[in-house]
Amino acid sequence: MHLGRVIGTVVSTSKDPSLVGSKLLIVARLNPQLDPTGFTEIAVDTVGAGYGETVIVSKGSGARMAGTLGKSVSDASIVGIVDTVETH
């Protein structure tokens, strides 16, 4: 898992049936200080995240099991909205 910031949305009228009804968001990966790393990805939103929010992104097989995705083709899922981050 890693931290990210929602920077946009993706609209796709033609997609794999396992993604029908899913909201797709563009997420910029963040380092522990919440600075962008330069890497972006599309993730399925399972928690109702919105533009500008800091989120937790799950990757790989765990991402396919998040929320109501079942065994979807997703490789990245937003599984949490971050309230605070504390590093030492």
Side-chain angles (χ1 to χ4, degrees):
M1 290 190 285
H2 64 269
L3 295 174
R5 180 162 295 116
V6 177
I7 60 170
T9 60
V10 174
V11 177
S12 174
T13 55
S14 178
K15 57 188 164 214
D16 186 275
S18 68
L19 295 176
V20 171
S22 296
K23 183 167 70 167
L24 304 174
L25 298 176
I26 303 170
V27 179
R29 192 175 205 152
L30 302 176
N31 66 19
Q33 291 73 38
L34 303 182
D35 298 319
T37 65
F39 179 77
T40 60
E41 62 193 328
I42 298 169
V44 177
D45 180 23
T46 67
V47 295
Y51 180 80
E53 289 190 298
T54 301
V55 295
I56 301 168
V57 178
S58 177
K59 301 278 291 178
S61 60
R64 287 185 275 283
M65 299 300 179
T68 59
L69 292 176
K71 294 184 179 185
S72 82
V73 297
S74 174
D75 187 45
S77 295
I78 296 171
V79 296
I81 300 172
V82 175
D83 295 318
T84 61
V85 175
E86 195 174 308
T87 60
H88 300 277

